[in-house]
Amino acid sequence: MENKTSVSEFIILGFLSIPEMKYLLFVLFFCLYVLTVLSNVLIVVIISVDDALQSPMYFFLRNLSFLELCFTSVTIPNMLVNLILEGSKISFVGCATQLYFFLLLGVTECLLLTVMSYDRYVAICIPLRYTAIMSKRICIQCSAACWAVGFVVAAGHTAVIFSLPYCGPNIINHFFCDIQPLLMLVCGDTYWNEIQVIVVAGVVLMLPFILVLVSYVHIITSILNMSSARNRRKAFSTCSSHLTVVCLYYGTAVFMYTRPKSSYSLDKDKWFTLFYCVLTPLLNPIIYSLRNKEVKGALWKLASRIFWMQGR
Ligand SMILES: *[C@@H]1O[C@H](CO)[C@@H](O)[C@H](O)[C@H]1NC(C)=O
């Protein structure tokens, strides 16, 4: 117990191993970050102002975009500063705060995606009861519940990880305070903590994943049973964007958080993490706006309104 809090700050290595690419990476990630923020803000704005986008699906999509906006902002700005300052320090509390928000947003996103797939299930399989089941109140309660569970899980997980003994070294070979690089720094046996991480990740990821899967089995069966090809195409197009986003999210999350520590390879994981910290939040709005006629229509409407205002 005596060595327990001998580490009071961590050093974030980031991408220090490739100093010659520092500025290139900075410019690249900076542009991607700006694009991500802009596209997600655009989705939030467009859903808020357009009357045609007032269905539950768009309510959840707006919440998802807002969440992605926060999610990238937890890690990327910090990483950009670290790229330039090289191996900057982060306090114990700062690191815990970052992990907390990272987990909060990650878990909430997972639950929100589940609620969204339930929404698609109701819309496609029991369309006559859609407005009754997915009332405004239910939507707000569902998304509030996702956030609440996210808060609780993230708080518990962060508390457990930061109550472990860290007695040096304190160098995090990653670009933010993620679970794996932190567990690598714990002194002593972390066997049970790894089990705990895997079990929590398993429950938090797998349970929603099974629900998503069940929803999609129902959705696909009912699409295949539709008699008219036109209805079939229409039903499929409303859920294909969501399905793409779900695959992106679960594909990366399950790979990252349900492995034992012995298989961590921080140098490789770092690059893989970029995929879901940088690319997924940018891809979501693109997937939803490019493949969705209603969103595209709303974008044109907004653009023409802006031009019209300027032309006056
Ligand atoms: C997301 O949902 C929560 C809970 O219902 C709500 O408080 C928040 O305003 C929503 N955010 C957006 C941008 O829709």
Side-chain angles (χ1 to χ4, degrees):
M1 289 299 273
E2 75 192 56
N3 273 339
K4 195 162 182 177
T5 48
S6 64
V7 169
S8 62
E9 58 184 14
F10 294 100
I11 294 168
I12 305 262
L13 267 195
F15 295 94
L16 206 59
S17 49
I18 34 172
E20 63 279 10
M21 275 168 68
K22 192 168 95 170
Y23 294 105
L24 185 69
L25 287 178
F26 181 87
V27 171
L28 178 68
F29 293 141
F30 182 77
C31 292
L32 286 176
Y33 179 65
V34 170
L35 267 180
T36 306
V37 169
L38 285 181
S39 54
N40 280 301
V41 165
L42 192 63
I43 295 271
V44 170
V45 167
I46 216 160
I47 293 177
S48 304
V49 300
D50 200 292
D51 294 333
L53 306 181
Q54 294 307 318
S55 68
M57 180 172 122
Y58 293 110
F59 172 81
F60 292 124
L61 179 59
R62 183 178 69 177
N63 225 292
L64 186 73
S65 279
F66 171 69
L67 204 137
E68 296 284 18
L69 197 62
C70 304
F71 187 71
T72 40
S73 303
V74 169
T75 51
I76 305 306
N78 214 305
M79 179 187 91
L80 290 174
V81 173
N82 284 356
L83 262 176
I84 296 303
L85 295 184
E86 295 194 346
S88 54
K89 293 181 177 128
I90 185 165
S91 68
F92 203 76
V93 175
C95 197
T97 312
Q98 192 178 40
L99 181 68
Y100 174 74
F101 280 104
F102 177 76
L103 289 175
L104 161 67
L105 297 163
V107 170
T108 306
E109 173 162 0
C110 166
L111 298 172
L112 206 56
L113 287 174
T114 315
V115 173
M116 289 171 87
S117 72
Y118 179 70
D119 165 72
R120 288 300 82 207
Y121 161 74
V122 177
I124 292 170
C125 299
I126 29 179
L128 294 181
R129 284 162 56 201
Y130 185 61
T131 41
I133 294 176
M134 283 292 168
S135 67
K136 187 94 199 161
R137 213 184 91 228
I138 298 284
C139 289
I140 293 176
Q141 282 173 351
C142 279
S143 66
C146 294
W147 284 90
V149 173
F151 272 110
V152 174
V153 172
H157 228 40
T158 310
V160 167
I161 288 183
F162 281 90
S163 61
L164 298 172
Y166 294 91
C167 36
N170 63 344
I171 295 170
I172 294 180
N173 183 11
H174 204 57
F175 60 87
F176 70 101
C177 294
D178 200 358
I179 295 178
Q180 285 90 347
L182 281 168
L183 278 186
M184 306 274 273
L185 299 181
V186 172
C187 34
D189 187 13
T190 56
Y191 180 75
W192 285 109
N193 306 111
E194 284 169 55
I195 300 283
Q196 198 173 10
V197 168
I198 294 176
V199 167
V200 171
V203 172
V204 167
L205 287 171
M206 281 305 162
L207 219 58
F209 183 64
I210 291 169
L211 292 177
V212 170
L213 222 55
V214 170
S215 299
Y216 271 97
V217 168
H218 282 291
I219 290 172
I220 289 168
T221 335
S222 114
I223 289 180
L224 291 180
N225 284 337
M226 283 176 181
S227 47
S228 95
R230 201 177 138 266
N231 282 352
R232 219 180 293 160
R233 212 172 317 123
K234 194 167 157 235
F236 186 71
S237 80
T238 66
C239 61
S240 61
S241 345
H242 180 249
L243 191 58
T244 316
V245 171
V246 164
C247 292
L248 268 177
Y249 178 87
Y250 284 102
T252 48
V254 168
F255 174 75
M256 279 309 287
Y257 295 101
T258 54
R259 296 177 301 163
K261 189 163 94 176
S262 52
S263 71
Y264 300 168
S265 148
L266 291 181
D267 280 320
K268 282 201 208 92
D269 288 354
K270 217 168 8 186
W271 293 99
F272 190 76
T273 311
L274 278 177
F275 188 82
Y276 62 83
C277 283
V278 181
L279 280 186
T280 315
L282 175 62
L283 286 178
N284 286 358
I286 293 177
I287 291 169
Y288 265 102
S289 46
L290 286 188
R291 305 185 61 175
N292 188 311
K293 267 203 205 106
E294 284 173 312
V295 175
K296 269 194 276 188
L299 275 173
W300 279 119
K301 225 160 57 183
L302 185 71
S304 58
R305 218 193 293 170
I306 289 170
F307 279 120
W308 181 74
M309 273 192 321
Q310 278 178 346
R312 273 204 308 186

